[in-house]
Amino acid sequence: MKKYILFFVIVISNILFLNNTFAQGGMWLPNQLDRNQKDMMSKGCHISAKQIYDEQNASIKDAVVLFGRGCTGEFVSNQGLLFTNHHCGYSEIVKHSTVDHDYLTNGFAAMSLDEELPCPGLTVTLLQYMKDVTSDVLSGVSSSMTEKERQMKVNENIKNIVENTTKGTNLDGYVKALYYGNQYMLYVNKIYKDVRLVVAPPSNIGKFGGDTDNWMWPRHTGDFSVFRVYADANNEPAEYSKNNKPYQPKKFLKISLKDKNEGDFTFVMGYPGTTQQFLTSYAVEDIQNIEDPARIKLRTERLNVYKSAQEESPAKRLRYASDVASIANGWKKWQGEVKGLKFLNAVEKKRQGELNNPLMSQFYELYNDNRKYKLEQLYIGEAVLASDFMYNTRRLLSLIDLSMDNTVTDIVLKTEADNLLSWLDKYYNNDFASHRGVDSMIFVRTMTIFYNDFAKDNYNFLHDKLNKMPIEDYFADIYKTSVLNNPEKIRKVLKDYKRKNYKKLIDDSAVEFLSPIWGQYVNSTREKLTQNNNKLDSLYRINTKHYIDEYNRHNNTKDMSMNNGIFPDANLTMRVTYGNIASFKPKDGITYRHYTTIAGIMEKEEPNIYDYVVEQKLKDIYYNNDIAPYSDRVAFIATNHTTGGNSGSPVMDADGNLIGLNFDRNWEGTMSDILYDKDLCRNITLDIRYCLLIIDKYLEAKNLINELELVK
Ligand code: ARG
Ligand code: ASP
């Protein structure tokens, strides 16, 4: 009886928890979308789940790809033409840009197939099918196994499943855990390796608003780029070859030129990277109060250094552009996340749902124990290895370690030293003379924060030295005296490297400094983290199963994998999310309209501020009203639940026609990775008509427009 009462209390609190934290949003498994069909129809969808995902017949899934390793793209012609975001194609565009052909700044459009630019290393992954393999993965796993034994058995089974599926084929496969290992899904893919750059808008369009507007609505960024996938004579994946032909997809998306209104149904298919909706209150509290603030503080420092360097010259602005873009992206997102979590009272909401849950004390203990190690890992990434100086020192450390290890042969040692030497040669020859000032500042400033906020209390070995002088001087001194800042000297040590040369390195100031910190991290902290994380994983597995069972009991449903109930966290596999175009209220008294127009670009224009320069040609198009058959709309927002990795994803209308490219979220809603809120969270989509306007009227690539199938 007592047991029954306890259980009842848990049920009640869990339902509360479920309602609080899973009521809206969702990144659904495409092969189980029939479970969402009714809900999708009620929101305005006109097509069936089978038209979106079908393994027998061509369906929308055949038009959607994993672009590179962390973005999404979609086919828009029967000749393998592929749309994605500008920020997803950014590094390829940069690689093809030179002073003479500055495609990054001026834009680029191939007027014929032979003008398209190969992108070695870039891949496009096409999902063939996915399959629930839970029982195969768990075969031989028993409840008496330790977490480690379980993991070994699971890994062994996964290896066999993948091997049996792909051996002797051109397929690639992997198995991913869902719901912390309550379910396992096999994904079978073809990976296309000949991908070519077709269109890049000028930066003033593709990155308009830059980091200032990033993560913000209202938005006016023309965030698109175009690629083409090539295949061999049989339409199969092949390495780059002049003889390859444009890939003919089983399905490509038609493009709608119609206006979209508030309330219209939209859905997004793509590759969302990571969400953490099952986190307990303890984890959310740490993210909100400790981890995000520490990251933000360290990155603020780095950004300040880079930004003041950028102000010195246009060359330096370019030199640090991509570093700043990626550092600022996380920096700004975490600030939004903290604000959003606080606004939603996320910790309290989670706590309410955890009342009387007997697992909570174990979670508490584990998070308490893990906090220090997690922070150490965070500081290693965001501070200790933030400067090139320390990154290079770490490479030096591993050479020293290898030299002291007698099982390592002289040949291996020499290869390592040669690799490091050629890396450093490039580093020194690049712009070391001007960059070292910036890098040393990054080193001194991040290390000072690291020392004051973390190391002081956690590393005894630093105290003696630091008692003797001001910390900043101490770090500046390390920088000045290290052999890594004396290119001639380090080159001499590394050239024709002999084992005993390491003795010339071990007393180096940087090596002496980093060695104990790195040593502790590698030899002790990482192991503790793995142990704790394994324990947490197994607790989360039990807890998540528990929530799902409660949900099923409450809703009279049976299936473990609750599509249209509790979705499995994003894990960079194909998902579908759906919602409606919707304005939102960021603050009391303000409503943000659901779309922006070119008028807003003209409003934002600031000829002297890099992010807000507007090209004359765009003004001509706009003021001459040379817009038909497209539109003056630039972007729109909707309630689709998206995350990093969804960039470039097709946003489609009720009929499955392409209406835009997903590229961001609103700042007020960036906590959606942890807790989604339908009133606050919006995905930001580039209106496909702005993309076509730029390709057609600005870049004048009619050849590409002719390939598309437009629906009026
Ligand atoms: N916030 C978007 C995402 O997370 C776009 C990032 C690229 N843009 C930038 N200004 N850094 O990917
Ligand atoms: N901008 C993100 C991306 O690149 C999308 C997001 O986080 O909403 O995938």
Side-chain angles (χ1 to χ4, degrees):
M1 184 64 192
K2 211 166 149 200
K3 212 171 149 194
Y4 184 75
I5 291 174
L6 176 67
F7 185 67
F8 188 68
V9 174
I10 292 172
V11 172
I12 298 291
S13 61
N14 283 342
I15 294 306
L16 210 141
F17 171 71
L18 293 172
N19 287 342
N20 268 337
T21 55
F22 298 108
Q24 299 287 338
M27 302 175 181
W28 311 108
L29 297 175
N31 63 340
Q32 297 175 2
L33 210 56
D34 48 335
R35 299 173 195 193
N36 299 74
Q37 178 93 40
K38 230 172 97 190
D39 188 41
M40 289 173 81
M41 294 293 174
S42 79
K43 291 191 162 66
C45 184
H46 298 158
I47 59 174
S48 68
K50 236 179 150 37
Q51 285 169 283
I52 297 173
Y53 184 94
D54 191 345
E55 286 169 7
Q56 267 70 51
N57 306 294
S59 60
I60 289 175
K61 87 139 211 306
D62 299 305
V64 181
V65 307
L66 175 70
F67 181 84
R69 290 198 203 98
C71 274
T72 306
E74 55 278 348
F75 289 118
V76 290
S77 89
N78 63 2
Q79 294 298 302
L81 201 63
L82 192 82
F83 283 177
T84 187
N85 287 149
H86 181 256
H87 78 263
C88 294
Y90 197 76
S91 59
E92 300 304 328
I93 302 167
V94 170
K95 276 186 221 157
H96 285 293
S97 298
T98 60
V99 184
D100 294 338
H101 304 280
D102 191 349
Y103 300 140
L104 188 67
T105 309
N106 306 319
F108 165 77
M111 296 299 167
S112 62
L113 292 185
D114 51 293
E115 283 181 21
E116 296 178 355
L117 303 168
C119 302
L122 176 63
T123 57
V124 153
T125 303
L126 269 76
L127 177 66
Q128 306 300 302
Y129 64 91
M130 56 194 275
K131 191 176 153 199
D132 189 323
V133 288
T134 311
S135 57
D136 294 340
V137 171
L138 294 182
S139 119
V141 170
S142 75
S143 52
S144 62
M145 282 179 162
T146 64
E147 192 59 21
K148 205 167 170 184
E149 287 165 347
R150 181 189 194 273
Q151 204 49 53
M152 271 167 62
K153 187 71 201 163
V154 162
N155 289 345
E156 181 193 321
N157 288 344
I158 287 179
K159 195 166 163 257
N160 290 335
I161 294 167
V162 171
E163 242 172 55
N164 292 340
T165 313
T166 59
K167 208 164 53 201
T169 69
N170 66 349
L171 299 170
D172 183 81
Y174 51 79
V175 170
K176 292 241 182 158
L178 306 173
Y179 304 107
Y180 293 90
N182 280 298
Q183 194 185 10
Y184 289 90
M185 197 66 80
L186 167 70
Y187 293 85
V188 180
N189 299 301
K190 284 187 183 172
I191 303 180
Y192 284 79
K193 294 180 183 146
D194 186 350
V195 184
R196 304 184 196 174
L197 176 64
V198 181
V199 171
S203 274
N204 291 339
I205 289 174
K207 221 186 156 205
F208 184 77
D211 288 315
T212 323
D213 281 13
N214 191 21
W215 296 112
M216 303 279 247
W217 183 259
R219 192 67 162 277
H220 300 85
T221 313
D223 199 344
F224 77 92
S225 60
V226 185
F227 288 80
R228 193 187 301 278
V229 177
Y230 282 75
D232 69 10
N234 301 318
N235 210 29
E236 293 294 325
E239 296 295 335
Y240 169 82
S241 152
K242 264 195 150 65
N243 301 328
N244 285 346
K245 304 254 172 331
Y247 169 71
Q248 300 193 320
K250 279 193 220 157
K251 165 95 186 168
F252 67 89
L253 301 179
K254 293 180 194 163
I255 298 176
S256 166
L257 296 183
K258 292 181 201 146
D259 261 348
K260 274 70 75 176
N261 301 314
E262 174 115 31
D264 283 358
F265 178 81
T266 67
F267 71 102
V268 180
M269 196 165 196
Y271 281 85
T274 311
T275 58
Q276 300 179 287
Q277 55 174 340
F278 293 104
L279 287 185
T280 60
S281 59
Y282 310 121
V284 177
E285 198 169 16
D286 279 358
I287 291 176
Q288 176 188 294
N289 297 337
I290 300 176
E291 293 162 24
D292 278 358
R295 288 194 182 98
I296 294 163
K297 185 169 174 185
L298 286 162
R299 288 202 175 189
T300 305
E301 215 52 44
R302 280 161 87 186
L303 284 169
N304 287 344
V305 174
Y306 281 134
K307 281 185 182 159
S308 51
Q310 281 185 307
E311 275 160 25
E312 285 168 25
S313 71
K316 286 197 179 176
R317 192 190 50 69
L318 262 179
R319 163 68 170 84
Y320 296 111
S322 119
D323 289 312
V324 166
S326 75
I327 298 170
N329 197 40
W331 171 78
K332 194 157 180 188
K333 188 199 147 176
W334 295 319
Q335 292 176 59
E337 185 169 84
V338 169
K339 259 177 104 104
L341 289 172
K342 287 186 179 162
F343 184 84
L344 290 182
N345 237 332
V347 176
E348 190 48 36
K349 268 187 192 148
K350 293 263 176 187
R351 202 151 274 160
Q352 294 275 320
E354 293 163 355
L355 296 173
N356 305 311
N357 181 334
L359 295 179
M360 281 308 138
S361 58
Q362 291 180 63
F363 273 116
Y364 177 81
E365 294 292 324
L366 278 167
Y367 276 113
N368 230 5
D369 187 53
N370 224 18
R371 188 168 300 119
K372 193 169 106 183
Y373 307 125
K374 267 174 86 183
L375 264 181
E376 186 173 334
Q377 188 174 46
L378 186 158
Y379 278 105
I380 295 274
E382 295 286 336
V384 177
L385 297 180
S387 60
D388 294 337
F389 174 50
M390 279 293 110
Y391 176 83
N392 292 337
T393 306
R394 193 186 59 73
R395 293 195 59 168
L396 216 50
L397 278 184
S398 68
L399 181 67
I400 296 171
D401 281 349
L402 289 177
S403 309
M404 291 164 73
D405 179 348
N406 284 329
T407 63
V408 175
T409 63
D410 289 349
I411 308 219
V412 170
L413 260 189
K414 172 129 180 29
T415 316
E416 276 296 311
D418 286 349
N419 285 345
L420 181 54
L421 182 58
S422 71
W423 161 262
L424 286 174
D425 268 337
K426 256 193 257 146
Y427 182 68
Y428 294 135
N429 290 340
N430 190 11
D431 61 348
F432 185 60
S434 77
H435 175 62
R436 62 186 294 172
V438 170
D439 195 53
S440 75
M441 227 181 303
I442 301 255
F443 169 68
V444 173
R445 295 218 195 152
T446 54
M447 283 308 185
T448 303
I449 297 179
F450 164 67
Y451 180 73
N452 285 329
D453 291 4
F454 182 79
K456 199 160 57 182
D457 302 328
N458 291 289
Y459 293 108
N460 292 331
F461 46 79
L462 280 178
H463 289 172
D464 296 345
K465 290 168 192 144
L466 281 162
N467 285 336
K468 294 187 190 120
M469 60 175 113
I471 344 166
E472 268 129 343
D473 294 353
Y474 169 71
F475 289 123
D477 195 55
I478 294 178
Y479 198 93
K480 241 192 323 214
T481 52
S482 169
V483 62
L484 278 168
N485 288 303
N486 188 336
E488 282 325 301
K489 217 165 154 186
I490 183 73
R491 280 179 171 128
K492 236 198 237 151
V493 180
L494 293 178
K495 200 155 180 288
D496 300 320
Y497 189 80
K498 303 270 166 351
R499 190 178 294 272
K500 63 176 191 319
N501 285 16
Y502 84 87
K503 291 188 180 141
K504 296 182 186 146
L505 295 172
I506 41 172
D507 295 332
D508 180 72
S509 57
V511 170
E512 257 192 339
F513 169 71
L514 185 61
S515 176
I517 296 175
W518 186 248
Q520 169 165 314
Y521 176 64
V522 174
N523 299 324
S524 152
T525 304
R526 270 206 308 217
E527 181 53 30
K528 289 183 181 131
L529 272 170
T530 312
Q531 278 171 16
N532 279 340
N533 288 339
N534 281 344
K535 287 185 201 153
L536 277 169
D537 271 356
S538 97
L539 271 187
Y540 271 118
R541 190 170 63 244
I542 301 165
N543 207 40
T544 304
K545 168 104 170 64
H546 188 66
Y547 284 138
I548 291 166
D549 289 347
E550 293 315 324
Y551 184 93
N552 284 338
R553 208 187 313 273
H554 190 70
N555 291 283
N556 258 331
T557 43
K558 268 204 228 85
D559 206 307
M560 206 311 295
S561 79
M562 287 301 310
N563 243 16
N564 195 19
I566 304 171
F567 71 97
D569 270 321
N571 58 357
L572 206 64
T573 59
M574 190 187 265
R575 301 292 176 90
V576 174
T577 170
Y578 54 90
N580 298 85
I581 293 182
S583 54
F584 76 102
K585 295 182 169 51
K587 281 191 187 117
D588 184 41
I590 305 176
T591 301
Y592 281 153
R593 190 179 63 191
H594 62 278
Y595 68 91
T596 58
T597 68
I598 301 177
I601 298 179
M602 302 307 158
E603 274 172 25
K604 280 184 180 171
E605 182 186 13
E606 294 273 3
N608 299 321
I609 299 181
Y610 185 79
D611 287 345
Y612 296 106
V613 173
V614 179
E615 298 285 333
Q616 185 55 42
K617 197 165 176 183
L618 185 63
K619 292 188 204 171
D620 293 343
I621 293 170
Y622 178 65
Y623 289 115
N624 295 333
N625 200 19
D626 183 16
I627 284 177
Y630 311 112
S631 155
D632 66 345
R633 294 203 186 174
V634 175
F636 62 88
I637 44 173
T639 59
N640 300 298
H641 189 181
T642 53
T643 187
N646 267 125
S647 275
S649 297
V651 179
M652 290 162 278
D653 65 10
D655 299 308
N657 294 323
L658 184 67
I659 55 174
L661 310 182
N662 184 78
F663 71 98
D664 213 0
R665 276 170 287 163
N666 61 327
W667 206 51
E668 300 80 359
T670 45
M671 70 301 192
S672 63
D673 292 345
I674 296 168
L675 189 54
Y676 181 87
D677 182 87
K678 71 172 182 2
D679 294 327
L680 278 179
C681 299
R682 296 291 178 268
N683 69 313
I684 302 181
T685 302
L686 170 68
D687 193 308
I688 202 66
R689 296 168 299 177
Y690 184 60
C691 162
L692 300 187
L693 179 81
I694 300 301
I695 295 176
D696 188 343
K697 313 261 174 166
Y698 190 103
L699 297 165
E700 299 173 32
K702 287 264 190 260
N703 51 316
L704 301 175
I705 299 290
N706 291 339
E707 270 189 67
L708 310 172
E709 201 165 315
L710 306 179
V711 186
K712 300 210 169 118

mmCIF file of all heavy atoms in Angstrom, residues 236-262:
data_model
loop_
_atom_site.group_PDB
_atom_site.id
_atom_site.type_symbol
_atom_site.label_atom_id
_atom_site.label_comp_id
_atom_site.label_asym_id
_atom_site.label_seq_id
_atom_site.Cartn_x
_atom_site.Cartn_y
_atom_site.Cartn_z
ATOM 1 N N GLU A 236 25.884 7.075 -58.634
ATOM 2 C CA GLU A 236 26.337 6.627 -57.314
ATOM 3 C C GLU A 236 27.474 7.544 -56.823
ATOM 4 O O GLU A 236 28.106 8.248 -57.615
ATOM 5 C CB GLU A 236 26.852 5.182 -57.400
ATOM 6 C CG GLU A 236 25.774 4.154 -57.701
ATOM 7 C CD GLU A 236 24.747 4.016 -56.578
ATOM 8 O OE1 GLU A 236 25.111 4.139 -55.393
ATOM 9 O OE2 GLU A 236 23.550 3.811 -56.898
ATOM 10 N N PRO A 237 27.741 7.515 -55.500
ATOM 11 C CA PRO A 237 28.819 8.349 -54.950
ATOM 12 C C PRO A 237 30.165 8.038 -55.603
ATOM 13 O O PRO A 237 30.451 6.874 -55.910
ATOM 14 C CB PRO A 237 28.871 7.942 -53.475
ATOM 15 C CG PRO A 237 27.553 7.351 -53.176
ATOM 16 C CD PRO A 237 27.066 6.736 -54.454
ATOM 17 N N ALA A 238 30.975 9.065 -55.809
ATOM 18 C CA ALA A 238 32.313 8.869 -56.375
ATOM 19 C C ALA A 238 33.201 10.012 -55.931
ATOM 20 O O ALA A 238 32.717 11.103 -55.619
ATOM 21 C CB ALA A 238 32.224 8.845 -57.888
ATOM 22 N N GLU A 239 34.501 9.760 -55.878
ATOM 23 C CA GLU A 239 35.459 10.832 -55.616
ATOM 24 C C GLU A 239 35.339 11.852 -56.750
ATOM 25 O O GLU A 239 34.849 11.524 -57.836
ATOM 26 C CB GLU A 239 36.891 10.277 -55.590
ATOM 27 C CG GLU A 239 37.186 9.292 -54.470
ATOM 28 C CD GLU A 239 37.098 9.902 -53.071
ATOM 29 O OE1 GLU A 239 37.278 11.137 -52.940
ATOM 30 O OE2 GLU A 239 36.810 9.145 -52.114
ATOM 31 N N TYR A 240 35.865 13.048 -56.534
ATOM 32 C CA TYR A 240 35.790 14.075 -57.568
ATOM 33 C C TYR A 240 36.385 13.571 -58.883
ATOM 34 O O TYR A 240 37.447 12.946 -58.898
ATOM 35 C CB TYR A 240 36.559 15.331 -57.137
ATOM 36 C CG TYR A 240 36.734 16.302 -58.284
ATOM 37 C CD1 TYR A 240 35.697 17.169 -58.629
ATOM 38 C CD2 TYR A 240 37.894 16.312 -59.056
ATOM 39 C CE1 TYR A 240 35.815 18.028 -59.701
ATOM 40 C CE2 TYR A 240 38.023 17.183 -60.134
ATOM 41 C CZ TYR A 240 36.978 18.033 -60.454
ATOM 42 O OH TYR A 240 37.099 18.876 -61.527
ATOM 43 N N SER A 241 35.687 13.804 -59.972
ATOM 44 C CA SER A 241 36.255 13.532 -61.293
ATOM 45 C C SER A 241 35.582 14.454 -62.296
ATOM 46 O O SER A 241 34.391 14.756 -62.191
ATOM 47 C CB SER A 241 36.017 12.069 -61.675
ATOM 48 O OG SER A 241 35.963 11.961 -63.082
ATOM 49 N N LYS A 242 36.373 14.871 -63.268
ATOM 50 C CA LYS A 242 35.829 15.717 -64.338
ATOM 51 C C LYS A 242 34.673 15.014 -65.045
ATOM 52 O O LYS A 242 33.776 15.653 -65.572
ATOM 53 C CB LYS A 242 36.942 15.976 -65.364
ATOM 54 C CG LYS A 242 37.681 17.281 -65.164
ATOM 55 C CD LYS A 242 38.477 17.597 -66.438
ATOM 56 C CE LYS A 242 38.649 19.068 -66.685
ATOM 57 N NZ LYS A 242 39.418 19.829 -65.774
ATOM 58 N N ASN A 243 34.732 13.675 -65.064
ATOM 59 C CA ASN A 243 33.714 12.910 -65.785
ATOM 60 C C ASN A 243 32.420 12.713 -65.006
ATOM 61 O O ASN A 243 31.448 12.217 -65.561
ATOM 62 C CB ASN A 243 34.256 11.521 -66.146
ATOM 63 C CG ASN A 243 35.491 11.642 -67.000
ATOM 64 O OD1 ASN A 243 35.607 12.598 -67.781
ATOM 65 N ND2 ASN A 243 36.437 10.721 -66.836
ATOM 66 N N ASN A 244 32.416 13.070 -63.724
ATOM 67 C CA ASN A 244 31.184 12.908 -62.951
ATOM 68 C C ASN A 244 30.060 13.760 -63.538
ATOM 69 O O ASN A 244 30.301 14.785 -64.176
ATOM 70 C CB ASN A 244 31.417 13.293 -61.485
ATOM 71 C CG ASN A 244 32.205 12.225 -60.750
ATOM 72 O OD1 ASN A 244 32.357 11.106 -61.229
ATOM 73 N ND2 ASN A 244 32.721 12.586 -59.580
ATOM 74 N N LYS A 245 28.838 13.293 -63.250
ATOM 75 C CA LYS A 245 27.652 14.005 -63.770
ATOM 76 C C LYS A 245 26.844 14.553 -62.591
ATOM 77 O O LYS A 245 26.892 13.984 -61.507
ATOM 78 C CB LYS A 245 26.741 12.992 -64.490
ATOM 79 C CG LYS A 245 27.401 12.211 -65.603
ATOM 80 C CD LYS A 245 26.896 12.739 -66.916
ATOM 81 C CE LYS A 245 27.614 12.193 -68.136
ATOM 82 N NZ LYS A 245 28.992 11.791 -68.033
ATOM 83 N N PRO A 246 26.065 15.605 -62.831
ATOM 84 C CA PRO A 246 25.196 16.070 -61.751
ATOM 85 C C PRO A 246 24.338 14.916 -61.241
ATOM 86 O O PRO A 246 23.802 14.146 -62.036
ATOM 87 C CB PRO A 246 24.325 17.127 -62.424
ATOM 88 C CG PRO A 246 25.187 17.667 -63.502
ATOM 89 C CD PRO A 246 25.969 16.487 -64.025
ATOM 90 N N TYR A 247 24.251 14.818 -59.920
ATOM 91 C CA TYR A 247 23.456 13.753 -59.292
ATOM 92 C C TYR A 247 21.971 13.998 -59.560
ATOM 93 O O TYR A 247 21.496 15.128 -59.454
ATOM 94 C CB TYR A 247 23.734 13.760 -57.786
ATOM 95 C CG TYR A 247 22.797 12.894 -56.991
ATOM 96 C CD1 TYR A 247 22.877 11.512 -57.073
ATOM 97 C CD2 TYR A 247 21.834 13.462 -56.157
ATOM 98 C CE1 TYR A 247 22.001 10.710 -56.343
ATOM 99 C CE2 TYR A 247 20.970 12.665 -55.429
ATOM 100 C CZ TYR A 247 21.051 11.295 -55.521
ATOM 101 O OH TYR A 247 20.189 10.511 -54.808
ATOM 102 N N GLN A 248 21.272 12.935 -59.895
ATOM 103 C CA GLN A 248 19.825 13.069 -60.094
ATOM 104 C C GLN A 248 19.105 12.537 -58.869
ATOM 105 O O GLN A 248 19.007 11.317 -58.683
ATOM 106 C CB GLN A 248 19.402 12.285 -61.327
ATOM 107 C CG GLN A 248 20.117 12.811 -62.569
ATOM 108 C CD GLN A 248 19.504 12.293 -63.844
ATOM 109 O OE1 GLN A 248 19.124 11.127 -63.922
ATOM 110 N NE2 GLN A 248 19.418 13.156 -64.838
ATOM 111 N N PRO A 249 18.610 13.436 -58.022
ATOM 112 C CA PRO A 249 17.966 12.979 -56.782
ATOM 113 C C PRO A 249 16.651 12.271 -57.094
ATOM 114 O O PRO A 249 16.003 12.554 -58.096
ATOM 115 C CB PRO A 249 17.718 14.274 -56.013
ATOM 116 C CG PRO A 249 17.694 15.347 -57.035
ATOM 117 C CD PRO A 249 18.567 14.902 -58.166
ATOM 118 N N LYS A 250 16.274 11.357 -56.180
ATOM 119 C CA LYS A 250 14.981 10.683 -56.324
ATOM 120 C C LYS A 250 13.863 11.706 -56.226
ATOM 121 O O LYS A 250 12.784 11.503 -56.757
ATOM 122 C CB LYS A 250 14.805 9.684 -55.163
ATOM 123 C CG LYS A 250 15.520 8.378 -55.381
ATOM 124 C CD LYS A 250 15.015 7.368 -54.336
ATOM 125 C CE LYS A 250 16.177 6.552 -53.841
ATOM 126 N NZ LYS A 250 15.972 5.959 -52.543
ATOM 127 N N LYS A 251 14.167 12.785 -55.473
ATOM 128 C CA LYS A 251 13.118 13.779 -55.223
ATOM 129 C C LYS A 251 13.810 15.135 -55.059
ATOM 130 O O LYS A 251 14.871 15.224 -54.448
ATOM 131 C CB LYS A 251 12.396 13.403 -53.917
ATOM 132 C CG LYS A 251 11.533 14.475 -53.325
ATOM 133 C CD LYS A 251 10.102 14.316 -53.763
ATOM 134 C CE LYS A 251 9.257 15.493 -53.289
ATOM 135 N NZ LYS A 251 7.958 15.518 -53.926
ATOM 136 N N PHE A 252 13.240 16.170 -55.639
ATOM 137 C CA PHE A 252 13.715 17.525 -55.335
ATOM 138 C C PHE A 252 12.513 18.380 -54.966
ATOM 139 O O PHE A 252 11.371 18.011 -55.286
ATOM 140 C CB PHE A 252 14.501 18.118 -56.513
ATOM 141 C CG PHE A 252 13.678 18.387 -57.740
ATOM 142 C CD1 PHE A 252 13.036 19.612 -57.913
ATOM 143 C CD2 PHE A 252 13.530 17.417 -58.730
ATOM 144 C CE1 PHE A 252 12.263 19.856 -59.041
ATOM 145 C CE2 PHE A 252 12.759 17.660 -59.863
ATOM 146 C CZ PHE A 252 12.122 18.874 -60.018
ATOM 147 N N LEU A 253 12.752 19.486 -54.289
ATOM 148 C CA LEU A 253 11.635 20.292 -53.794
ATOM 149 C C LEU A 253 11.220 21.344 -54.813
ATOM 150 O O LEU A 253 12.057 22.013 -55.409
ATOM 151 C CB LEU A 253 12.024 20.990 -52.485
ATOM 152 C CG LEU A 253 12.446 20.078 -51.336
ATOM 153 C CD1 LEU A 253 12.822 20.922 -50.119
ATOM 154 C CD2 LEU A 253 11.327 19.096 -50.985
ATOM 155 N N LYS A 254 9.926 21.464 -54.994
ATOM 156 C CA LYS A 254 9.397 22.582 -55.777
ATOM 157 C C LYS A 254 9.381 23.807 -54.871
ATOM 158 O O LYS A 254 9.281 23.676 -53.644
ATOM 159 C CB LYS A 254 7.970 22.272 -56.237
ATOM 160 C CG LYS A 254 7.907 21.138 -57.232
ATOM 161 C CD LYS A 254 6.454 20.916 -57.614
ATOM 162 C CE LYS A 254 6.321 19.580 -58.332
ATOM 163 N NZ LYS A 254 4.940 19.122 -58.366
ATOM 164 N N ILE A 255 9.427 24.971 -55.507
ATOM 165 C CA ILE A 255 9.524 26.201 -54.720
ATOM 166 C C ILE A 255 8.255 27.030 -54.870
ATOM 167 O O ILE A 255 7.810 27.294 -55.989
ATOM 168 C CB ILE A 255 10.753 27.013 -55.179
ATOM 169 C CG1 ILE A 255 12.010 26.183 -54.916
ATOM 170 C CG2 ILE A 255 10.798 28.366 -54.498
ATOM 171 C CD1 ILE A 255 13.276 26.813 -55.407
ATOM 172 N N SER A 256 7.692 27.418 -53.742
ATOM 173 C CA SER A 256 6.464 28.210 -53.793
ATOM 174 C C SER A 256 6.780 29.703 -53.759
ATOM 175 O O SER A 256 7.585 30.157 -52.947
ATOM 176 C CB SER A 256 5.562 27.863 -52.608
ATOM 177 O OG SER A 256 4.561 28.855 -52.489
ATOM 178 N N LEU A 257 6.121 30.451 -54.639
ATOM 179 C CA LEU A 257 6.329 31.908 -54.663
ATOM 180 C C LEU A 257 5.193 32.647 -53.953
ATOM 181 O O LEU A 257 5.128 33.870 -53.977
ATOM 182 C CB LEU A 257 6.426 32.391 -56.115
ATOM 183 C CG LEU A 257 7.628 31.859 -56.906
ATOM 184 C CD1 LEU A 257 7.649 32.458 -58.316
ATOM 185 C CD2 LEU A 257 8.940 32.195 -56.200
ATOM 186 N N LYS A 258 4.309 31.879 -53.313
ATOM 187 C CA LYS A 258 3.142 32.518 -52.680
ATOM 188 C C LYS A 258 3.511 33.238 -51.377
ATOM 189 O O LYS A 258 4.480 32.870 -50.719
ATOM 190 C CB LYS A 258 2.085 31.451 -52.370
ATOM 191 C CG LYS A 258 1.467 30.863 -53.613
ATOM 192 C CD LYS A 258 0.406 29.832 -53.222
ATOM 193 C CE LYS A 258 0.158 28.890 -54.397
ATOM 194 N NZ LYS A 258 -0.154 27.535 -53.993
ATOM 195 N N ASP A 259 2.679 34.217 -51.016
ATOM 196 C CA ASP A 259 2.857 34.903 -49.732
ATOM 197 C C ASP A 259 2.481 33.977 -48.586
ATOM 198 O O ASP A 259 1.607 33.126 -48.733
ATOM 199 C CB ASP A 259 1.934 36.130 -49.660
ATOM 200 C CG ASP A 259 2.696 37.385 -49.997
ATOM 201 O OD1 ASP A 259 3.941 37.331 -50.051
ATOM 202 O OD2 ASP A 259 2.046 38.426 -50.211
ATOM 203 N N LYS A 260 3.144 34.164 -47.452
ATOM 204 C CA LYS A 260 2.834 33.344 -46.282
ATOM 205 C C LYS A 260 2.237 34.244 -45.204
ATOM 206 O O LYS A 260 2.742 35.335 -44.959
ATOM 207 C CB LYS A 260 4.110 32.693 -45.741
ATOM 208 C CG LYS A 260 4.465 31.401 -46.409
ATOM 209 C CD LYS A 260 4.923 31.522 -47.836
ATOM 210 C CE LYS A 260 6.323 32.046 -47.997
ATOM 211 N NZ LYS A 260 6.736 32.053 -49.412
ATOM 212 N N ASN A 261 1.203 33.725 -44.569
ATOM 213 C CA ASN A 261 0.511 34.544 -43.574
ATOM 214 C C ASN A 261 0.644 33.965 -42.189
ATOM 215 O O ASN A 261 0.926 32.780 -42.028
ATOM 216 C CB ASN A 261 -0.970 34.660 -43.936
ATOM 217 C CG ASN A 261 -1.142 35.278 -45.312
ATOM 218 O OD1 ASN A 261 -0.500 36.285 -45.621
ATOM 219 N ND2 ASN A 261 -1.948 34.646 -46.145
ATOM 220 N N GLU A 262 0.420 34.821 -41.224
ATOM 221 C CA GLU A 262 0.390 34.382 -39.840
ATOM 222 C C GLU A 262 -0.564 33.187 -39.721
ATOM 223 O O GLU A 262 -1.655 33.190 -40.283
ATOM 224 C CB GLU A 262 -0.120 35.548 -38.967
ATOM 225 C CG GLU A 262 -0.337 35.208 -37.519
ATOM 226 C CD GLU A 262 0.596 35.969 -36.582
ATOM 227 O OE1 GLU A 262 0.966 37.090 -36.918
ATOM 228 O OE2 GLU A 262 0.950 35.411 -35.529
#
